[in-house]
Amino acid sequence: ELLEPAQARTRLGVDCHDERPLIVVLGSGRESEMAEIARWALRLTEALGTSAIVHSMSLDQIDVQWPAMELLPGASVVVGAGGYNTVNAARATGTPLVAVARPRLYDRQVLRLSNDERVEHARLVEAVLGAIERGRMPGCDYKNGTHAAVAAISGL
């Protein structure tokens, strides 16, 4: 179930009245990749200063903030890898995605990401600024089926 943007921002520890862009840096996977995610969050925080809020999330916060999809309506931009869950959650919620394609044995992340989503490490800050400027993706019509499912089950 997706949260409303103000609720999602509150769950992420952001004052719902704070209108600055919220950049959510998502991480999961290998320990070395988690360290890199932390460096991205720090780099974005240093580059953007007080003009934006950078929030880093990882699987070790699973009890508080996972699954991340329900929180994405509160984000201005998602930064992460090109994994199936991250990419499809961002697209379903209309949240702009800035992602680095990770090498995987059975997954070709580079093929999953569009040209607008895919970024090289050196252009991370520039890509995030561009995504903030473009805003939420149009035409995303994710329908939360929770209430319809409960009604259908209750009607049996």
Side-chain angles (χ1 to χ4, degrees):
E1 183 172 347
L2 298 179
L3 298 174
E4 292 297 320
Q7 292 174 304
R9 289 173 73 92
T10 299
R11 282 269 308 276
L12 289 166
V14 176
D15 181 346
C16 65
H17 301 291
D18 190 333
E19 295 183 4
R20 292 178 292 167
L22 174 59
I23 302 157
V24 174
V25 183
L26 291 178
S28 64
R30 299 179 178 118
E31 198 171 317
S32 62
E33 292 175 2
M34 293 308 301
E36 185 175 42
I37 290 288
R39 287 192 300 273
W40 291 351
L42 180 60
R43 186 166 146 207
L44 288 165
T45 299
E46 290 172 346
L48 302 175
T50 60
S51 67
I53 302 163
V54 179
H55 182 88
S56 183
M57 276 176 40
S58 63
L59 280 178
D60 63 346
Q61 299 166 319
I62 196 164
D63 58 326
V64 179
Q65 300 174 333
W66 215 264
M69 184 173 175
E70 69 181 16
L71 302 172
L72 296 188
S76 305
V77 179
V78 172
V79 176
Y84 180 85
N85 290 333
T86 300
V87 172
N88 287 297
R91 289 177 182 167
T93 60
T95 309
L97 173 65
V98 172
V100 173
R102 299 281 191 196
R104 295 288 189 259
L105 184 58
Y106 298 110
D107 183 16
R108 302 295 180 257
Q109 293 186 3
V110 70
L111 299 177
R112 184 175 296 117
L113 295 168
S114 72
N115 290 336
D116 286 342
E117 296 167 333
R118 189 174 46 251
V119 68
E120 300 299 323
H121 297 279
R123 295 190 52 242
L124 181 67
V125 174
E126 177 186 332
V128 167
L129 289 172
I132 290 170
E133 188 175 305
R134 285 191 302 276
R136 298 198 75 77
M137 296 185 291
C140 295
D141 59 353
Y142 176 82
K143 301 290 187 245
N144 183 345
T146 304
H147 300 291
V150 169
I153 293 168
S154 297
L156 293 177

